[in-house]
Amino acid sequence: MVIFTVLPGESHHSVEEVCGAGKERLSIQGWFHFPQPGEPGYHAEQMQRLWQAGAVSTLGQIEAKRQREIGCAGDDYLPYSDETDARTEEAVLAEYINPDYLDAKIMRQVADRFSDDSHIQLAGFLNAQTASALLEWLRATDAHDKVGSANGEAAPIPPHGTGERGRWHAFGPPVIRRFLRLDAPSPPLPEEANDSAQSPAAERQASELLAALRDRLFASPEFARWLTRVTTLAVSGRRGMVRRFRPGLDYTLATPDGSAATIMDAVLCLAHGPHHRWADGVIGGYHCYIDSGDDDASNDGSVYRHATDEDDGILLTTPAAWNTLTIALREPSVVKFVKY
């Protein structure tokens, strides 16, 4: 039995995952926490004395680290160019987007739905040619790395470092996120590790197409105009990245990104495999949006906050799916994460 004190901003612990044939790890664990308003033993000045003593929450440390390491949570926002030609707009979008979503009637329907819900999922977003090419190359890449599922059965957790080659680099810090990022800023790698020939052909082809979607579609003023039409909201700037989540290895934690403005998330998910395994969320991979609250305690991830069934803080979950664009309007108090 292990018993230890948990102090906000001071206690950091983890449990190594046990993997291997015939090996299991069973545990019973629990936490003692400060009494909350309405619970026996609650004293309003208790938390105030803790903060006055200089204790900094774990989440506060993470946020401070993000401020010191510029660009850690994301790149700077870049303005969309005003140089766009309405005569060529449809051609630019049609190169990648399903023609159904370029139809004026359907775009009005999407806008009406988004106006009501502040979020929407658009299945089959990429056109058939683009989606089929990506599906073939991504499946081949996963098969090469032995990640994902085979015949509907879960594959073993891959070793750390899987897929880190060529244009793909691990992106952190691991206290708040870990995944592979295409063209991520990274320290120089040994020449043999950075040789693009180490990447399978399918991965190189997928990387080129994914980079084109990032740079020629999502970063284009034509796409900004399309977003305005399907949301009725003006889009002033953008930032983005291409991420690869390896099953059993990668995740993001619900961490404030420091933005004081309302953000529109446009996330294109390319999770292939049996649909039912993603839809119920049991195996993770879904995006979750939660209300971090306006008070200090609610914003502090290291402080226990009692939640009821009626108020668990979860605002929206969007399951992983193949070729699906999720558009969601996110206020500054809302944080998001990708389930491990």
Side-chain angles (χ1 to χ4, degrees):
M1 176 179 291
V2 178
I3 301 176
F4 53 92
T5 303
V6 177
L7 295 177
E10 297 182 18
S11 303
H12 303 274
H13 60 278
S14 64
V15 177
E16 182 71 19
E17 186 169 7
V18 178
C19 302
K23 294 182 179 180
E24 295 182 353
R25 178 185 182 276
L26 301 177
S27 67
I28 300 175
Q29 65 184 40
W31 307 96
F32 294 98
H33 61 272
F34 280 106
Q36 302 297 292
E39 295 181 343
Y42 171 74
H43 300 285
E45 68 277 5
Q46 191 173 39
M47 274 306 212
Q48 295 176 0
R49 288 199 303 266
L50 182 64
W51 306 137
Q52 290 171 357
V56 180
S57 70
T58 303
L59 194 62
Q61 291 181 345
I62 292 173
E63 180 64 8
K65 182 178 180 68
R66 190 198 68 83
Q67 295 293 339
R68 291 193 301 269
E69 299 180 0
I70 202 92
C72 183
D75 302 325
D76 292 335
Y77 283 98
L78 301 175
Y80 275 108
S81 170
D82 293 330
E83 298 179 3
T84 179
D85 188 344
R87 295 171 297 178
T88 61
E89 178 177 339
E90 185 172 351
V92 172
L93 300 177
E95 183 177 358
Y96 302 107
I97 298 179
N98 185 331
D100 288 345
Y101 293 122
L102 302 180
D103 180 81
K105 180 179 179 180
I106 292 180
M107 284 194 288
R108 287 194 298 270
Q109 294 173 348
V110 171
D112 290 342
R113 179 67 178 273
F114 185 86
S115 177
D116 291 339
D117 300 337
S118 296
H119 66 86
I120 193 168
Q121 284 193 286
L122 305 179
F125 178 71
L126 298 177
N127 59 36
Q129 179 180 358
T130 303
S132 61
L134 277 175
L135 181 60
E136 177 185 350
W137 296 332
L138 294 177
R139 278 178 171 171
T141 301
D142 282 352
H144 175 275
D145 291 336
K146 298 181 175 60
V147 302
S149 60
N151 300 321
E153 298 296 329
I157 296 176
H160 287 274
T162 296
E164 295 182 36
R165 57 179 175 255
R167 300 174 65 177
W168 293 90
H169 303 277
F171 190 68
V175 292
I176 53 178
R177 71 175 73 81
R178 182 177 65 202
F179 49 79
L180 298 185
R181 178 179 175 181
L182 181 64
D183 301 328
S186 64
L189 297 176
E191 184 176 351
E192 62 274 12
N194 200 36
D195 185 359
S196 62
Q198 299 292 327
S199 303
E203 180 183 290
R204 296 196 298 272
Q205 292 171 307
S207 298
E208 291 178 4
L209 183 48
L210 290 169
L213 289 171
R214 178 193 62 198
D215 301 333
R216 298 175 57 183
L217 177 62
F218 282 85
S220 70
E222 290 82 7
F223 185 73
R225 286 165 57 94
W226 180 85
L227 276 176
T228 295
R229 295 184 67 181
V230 299
T231 64
T232 69
L233 299 173
V235 181
S236 59
R238 45 87 185 175
R239 69 179 181 188
M241 65 178 72
V242 180
R243 306 176 295 181
R244 181 188 182 190
F245 287 85
R246 300 158 296 178
L249 291 182
D250 297 330
Y251 56 86
T252 67
L253 302 184
T255 307
D257 62 7
S259 175
T262 299
I263 302 296
M264 181 192 299
D265 288 333
V267 180
L268 176 60
C269 185
L270 298 168
H272 60 84
H275 173 73
H276 68 278
R277 291 180 61 84
W278 295 115
D280 57 18
V282 172
I283 61 173
Y286 57 82
H287 266 84
C288 184
Y289 291 82
I290 60 176
D291 184 3
S292 63
D294 297 325
D295 58 286
D296 292 338
S298 296
N299 278 301
D300 190 341
S302 65
V303 177
Y304 172 88
R305 179 167 68 108
H306 178 71
T308 65
D309 292 338
E310 292 78 16
D311 180 24
D312 57 8
I314 297 177
L315 303 176
L316 173 68
T317 58
T318 58
W322 170 251
N323 190 16
T324 299
L325 179 72
T326 298
I327 306 175
L329 200 61
R330 175 165 55 92
E331 296 180 350
S333 64
V334 176
V335 295
K336 62 177 181 175
F337 66 92
V338 176
K339 176 63 175 177
Y340 172 83

